[in-house]
Amino acid sequence: MTVQTFDPSQTTTLDTPRKSLTDQAGSAHKGNNTIGFVSLGCPKNLVDSERILTQLKAEGYNIVPSYDDAQLVIVNTCGFIDSAVQESLETIGEALAENGNVIVTGCLGAREDEIRQVHPNVLGITGPHSYENVLKQVHEFVPKPKYDPFTMLVPDHGVKLTPKHYAYLKISEGCNHRCTFCIIPSMRGDLVSRPVGEVLDEAQRLKNAGVKELLIISQDTSAYGVDVKHRTGFWNGQPVKTSMQSLCEALGEMGIWVRLHYVYPYPHVDDIIPLMAEGKVLPYLDIPFQHASPRILKLMKRPGQAERVLERIKKWRTICPELTIRSTFIVGFPGETEEDFQMLLDWLDEAQLDRVGCFKYSPVEGAKANELADPVPQAVMDERYDRFMLKQQAISAARLQAKVGKTIKVLIDEVDAEGAIGRSFADAPEIDGAVYLNGLTNVKPGDLIDAVVDEADEYDLWASIAE
């Protein structure tokens, strides 16, 4: 069984969609309403891909796993950081070289001129969550199949690019923040929350389809409902407020894992911690802190104050001792001094975060941070990144070592001849660590088992089935 070590410097592209597209593809051949699909980027982009594929399948198109078999290839792009932009452009180029008929959508699609400059021969370009426009372009180049009620069947939960036992649930689009390093609002617009009844309906359909874990995603999960003044909606005949807490309370009654991502540390997040302590929501918070120096946070235009956050983390852990906190940080932001960076290292010592990713600052076209003075030299940035990772690896290793000998719940993701690989409540798929159960072969993906932790390193656990 191969152990894949977590790489905190990796891009946001997920591998699972590629595997799933191959698994789901039929045996259709080119010339028979066939569409190839490449999904890049973060889980929010993944949900967009699922929605497009659901509609294509509903209309009778065949999704195929290779360029050769496709009449048309759709590339859903990411444009958040330079490495993601480069990956998207390279993927478009590969699709053009291998197939020739390519339409582009997603975040990078909002920068059409940039794509056309490199790849003028793409057939069409749309921005993020432009589902209807993508379908219109597909219809233009590959006409809709003749309707056949016996074959054009799609499950009510739609096409999923994740394994059967977990799924991403997007609760809103856009973001009201204007962080100086980010161009997401210019691509995806301001916050638009989905109706709470619609979100809960989707969650129920996913549970009914066998999903054991819902990963709640958005650009700003804590702000859910702000744009509609937390108006009251309805689900199953009962009133439910359009708010993070009410949504979590309703999801917590479904009896499956509920994991919260992209949470800003607003004061009302305090109200979610008791739900975690009660087992209604997984004791896991994904909070992108980005830095700890007040001066750098101000330059970033980030909400929150690092010192107050430390106090709240202590309070949260008092209420829910099992709480796992993951975060991301940027080192080498323009104007970052050695004093600012040391403040970040000291903050990490205090916060004792469980899971941490780190990015070296890179300018993004259109971001306000590009105008800031005092860029950090690459050599200094590299050195700070290494120091940051050494610091956090020691913290992560110590926190995982403390789990040795304890019994934990493990959700199985993969099983092969050598054993099983799963995740505890502290591990989100593809971004956190894993739990390796060598020799355990009589389980299947989606099983939830009790296991005793035998060993740990900086990112992963090794365990055996509990007696």
Side-chain angles (χ1 to χ4, degrees):
M1 181 164 46
T2 303
V3 176
Q4 296 181 338
T5 302
F6 170 69
D7 179 5
S9 65
Q10 65 189 353
T11 67
T12 56
T13 298
L14 305 175
D15 290 328
T16 298
R18 293 175 180 174
K19 299 175 188 174
S20 183
L21 281 167
T22 300
D23 293 342
Q24 291 186 32
S27 58
H29 296 289
K30 191 168 183 176
N32 187 28
N33 309 115
T34 53
I35 305 293
F37 203 104
V38 181
S39 183
L40 304 175
C42 65
K44 295 178 285 294
N45 231 34
L46 173 65
V47 174
D48 291 346
S49 295
E50 291 176 338
R51 185 165 177 179
I52 294 168
L53 285 166
T54 295
Q55 189 58 40
L56 287 171
K57 294 280 280 188
E59 292 182 358
Y61 288 96
N62 294 299
I63 309 303
V64 294
S66 71
Y67 293 126
D68 291 340
D69 294 333
Q71 289 177 271
L72 176 74
V73 176
I74 301 171
V75 180
N76 191 5
T77 60
C78 180
F80 181 51
I81 56 177
D82 282 353
S83 59
V85 170
Q86 186 62 33
E87 181 183 31
S88 293
L89 291 173
E90 289 175 356
T91 302
I92 295 167
E94 178 184 279
L96 284 168
E98 296 291 332
N99 183 277
N101 299 318
V102 178
I103 64 175
V104 176
T105 188
C107 288
L108 189 60
R111 295 146 66 176
E112 181 170 353
D113 291 345
E114 185 173 336
I115 296 173
R116 293 279 183 199
Q117 185 176 1
V118 181
H119 301 299
N121 295 326
V122 296
L123 299 176
I125 299 174
T126 59
H129 53 86
S130 299
Y131 317 114
E132 293 180 1
N133 290 331
V134 173
L135 269 295
K136 286 179 183 177
Q137 290 181 353
V138 172
H139 297 158
E140 181 180 349
F141 299 106
V142 183
K144 289 175 65 173
K146 183 178 179 181
Y147 180 71
D148 184 344
F150 297 103
T151 61
M152 294 182 181
L153 302 177
V154 175
D156 64 356
H157 61 276
V159 175
K160 309 305 294 180
L161 295 179
T162 51
K164 182 179 179 180
H165 60 283
Y166 72 81
Y168 294 100
L169 181 63
K170 188 193 286 189
I171 63 174
S172 66
E173 292 283 1
C175 182
N176 289 340
H177 294 295
R178 295 297 182 264
C179 302
T180 57
F181 56 81
C182 181
I183 56 172
I184 293 298
S186 67
M187 295 177 174
R188 292 184 172 264
D190 290 337
L191 176 74
V192 178
S193 299
R194 292 179 62 193
V196 67
E198 180 183 303
V199 173
L200 291 169
D201 280 342
E202 182 177 352
Q204 187 65 59
R205 290 195 300 271
L206 289 168
K207 179 192 174 184
N208 293 345
V211 166
K212 303 291 182 64
E213 176 184 12
L214 288 174
L215 299 107
I216 311 305
I217 59 170
S218 66
Q219 292 300 140
D220 181 358
T221 296
S222 311
Y224 178 65
V226 166
D227 56 314
V228 294
K229 297 181 171 57
H230 302 301
R231 69 181 172 215
T232 299
F234 289 88
W235 184 63
N236 282 350
Q238 298 295 318
V240 184
K241 284 185 66 176
T242 310
S243 70
M244 180 186 182
Q245 181 175 354
S246 295
L247 178 64
C248 287
E249 288 172 348
L251 292 171
E253 296 300 320
M254 292 188 177
I256 57 178
W257 280 12
V258 177
R259 188 183 302 277
L260 301 178
H261 286 277
Y262 313 111
V263 176
Y264 281 74
Y266 304 140
H268 64 264
V269 174
D270 295 357
D271 300 327
I272 306 300
I273 307 304
L275 297 177
M276 296 178 173
E278 295 166 12
K280 299 294 183 66
V281 177
L282 288 183
Y284 178 101
L285 280 176
D286 174 7
I287 305 177
F289 290 119
Q290 307 298 10
H291 215 281
S293 163
R295 193 178 69 83
I296 296 300
L297 288 171
K298 186 175 181 180
L299 288 174
M300 290 178 169
K301 290 193 175 179
R302 295 288 294 175
Q305 298 179 7
E307 285 303 317
R308 290 187 180 178
V309 169
L310 284 176
E311 294 174 6
R312 292 174 67 206
I313 288 174
K314 291 177 182 177
K315 177 182 175 183
W316 294 343
R317 285 175 170 154
T318 299
I319 298 170
C320 183
E322 291 189 326
L323 177 64
T324 292
I325 302 175
R326 95 167 309 275
S327 189
T328 52
F329 293 86
I330 298 172
V331 296
F333 191 78
E336 183 189 63
T337 64
E338 179 60 28
E339 182 181 0
D340 293 318
F341 180 68
Q342 187 59 51
M343 194 175 296
L344 173 55
L345 295 184
D346 293 342
W347 192 90
L348 284 178
D349 272 330
E350 285 285 327
Q352 291 289 298
L353 303 182
D354 302 86
R355 306 292 196 184
V356 171
C358 183
F359 295 92
K360 301 171 191 176
Y361 173 78
S362 63
V364 177
E365 184 178 344
K368 291 291 185 181
N370 299 343
E371 303 168 9
L372 295 175
D374 303 320
V376 176
Q378 187 64 47
V380 175
M381 198 183 307
D382 293 344
E383 188 266 346
R384 287 177 182 171
Y385 173 85
D386 291 341
R387 287 162 60 195
F388 179 99
M389 292 310 303
L390 283 173
K391 169 72 71 175
Q392 182 55 41
Q393 284 169 358
I395 294 171
S396 298
R399 293 191 70 80
L400 288 179
Q401 193 65 36
K403 297 187 179 186
V404 173
K406 293 184 177 180
T407 300
I408 60 173
K409 292 283 186 183
V410 178
L411 182 64
I412 301 298
D413 283 335
E414 300 177 41
V415 183
D416 60 25
E418 297 180 40
I421 304 174
R423 292 175 291 109
S424 72
F425 71 82
D427 309 305
E430 298 202 43
I431 57 174
D432 291 329
V435 181
Y436 295 92
L437 299 117
N438 296 332
L440 183 65
T441 57
N442 62 338
V443 292
K444 61 184 183 300
D447 284 351
L448 193 62
I449 66 168
D450 290 322
V452 178
V453 179
D454 300 318
E455 298 178 47
D457 65 11
E458 295 92 340
Y459 302 113
D460 303 311
L461 298 174
W462 282 259
S464 53
I465 195 82
E467 296 297 333

